[in-house]
């Protein structure tokens, strides 16, 4: 059952059904649509946000993007501490391959995390095929472009009702 119980009747959504998710993006994901579009696609961060809001009107989304490792850790801990966030859709970017600190932050919180990667990390360079953060997550979606975010949200919708 979702932890969110705020008044959302203005949205036409019963309070007990609203799911609150944080979509947390790591370094360079603010450059979506411009950075290596042959790898990451042409959708911008704004397109990603608008697409998720349109596809899941019953979800209360919060969106954050941080280039710094510490800010990502702070966002994970804050989402867990607020007592309302039901899950985190997390693309740690390049930190997924290197950051024990982020792995430990995901493992330390009670709020479930689904890790998302836009590209298929296992079809790329050797160093990208090792995900330090993934073992602490509930699951990983990789290689489906920005549609991977929708798959992660769908996981929460199906497992939180």
């Amino acid at each position: 059952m979702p932890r969110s119980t705020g008044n959302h009747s203005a949205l036409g959504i019963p309070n007990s059904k609203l799911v609150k998710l944080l979509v947390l993006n790591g370094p360079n994901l603010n450059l979506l649509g411009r950075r290596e579009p042959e790898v990451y696609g042409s959708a911008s961060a704004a397109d990603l946000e608008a697409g998720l809001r349109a596809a899941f009107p019953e979800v209360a989304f919060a969106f954050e993007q941080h280039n710094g490792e510490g800010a990502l850790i702070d966002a994970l801990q804050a989402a867990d501490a607020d007592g309302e966030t039901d899950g985190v859709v997390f693309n740690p970017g390049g930190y997924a391959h290197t950051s024990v600190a982020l792995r430990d932050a995901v493992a330390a919180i009670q709020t479930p995390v689904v890790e998302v990667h836009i590209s298929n990390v296992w079809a790329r360079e050797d160093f990208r095929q090792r995900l330090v953060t993934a073992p602490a997550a509930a699951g990983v979606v990789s290689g489906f472009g920005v549609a991977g975010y929708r798959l992660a949200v769908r996981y929460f919708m199906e497992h939180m009702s």
Side-chain angles (χ1 to χ4, degrees):
M1 183 63 73
R3 292 191 297 188
S4 298
T5 57
N7 184 0
H8 305 288
S9 58
L11 300 172
I13 301 164
N15 291 343
S16 63
K17 297 289 185 183
L18 188 73
V19 174
K20 182 177 178 185
L21 298 178
L22 170 62
V23 178
L24 181 59
N25 282 310
N28 300 312
L29 289 159
N30 56 313
L31 301 177
L32 275 177
R34 298 186 319 224
R35 176 183 171 232
E36 300 179 76
E38 67 282 359
V39 175
Y40 300 107
S42 60
S44 69
D47 295 336
L48 169 63
E49 181 175 335
L52 287 175
R53 288 188 191 282
F56 300 98
E58 69 278 23
V59 175
F61 285 106
F63 292 87
E64 292 188 38
Q65 186 277 326
H66 301 285
N67 288 320
E69 189 175 23
L72 292 167
I73 292 168
D74 290 342
L76 288 165
Q77 292 176 358
D80 191 54
D82 74 10
E84 294 183 7
T85 301
D86 297 303
V88 179
V89 176
F90 184 33
N91 185 336
Y95 288 132
H97 315 291
T98 62
S99 180
V100 173
L102 272 176
R103 180 253 172 245
D104 290 350
V106 171
I109 65 174
Q110 296 300 306
T111 305
V113 174
V114 173
E115 188 169 320
V116 174
H117 296 280
I118 294 169
S119 68
N120 180 352
V121 296
W122 294 282
R124 297 189 64 196
E125 304 93 339
D126 288 346
F127 70 87
R128 293 188 195 276
Q129 295 177 20
R130 179 171 180 257
L131 298 175
V132 174
T133 50
V140 178
V141 179
S142 177
F144 295 105
V146 294
Y149 289 84
R150 289 191 303 275
L151 294 170
V153 171
R154 186 155 313 283
Y155 166 82
F156 284 114
M157 298 303 295
E158 290 178 8
H159 287 88
M160 306 217 68
S161 58

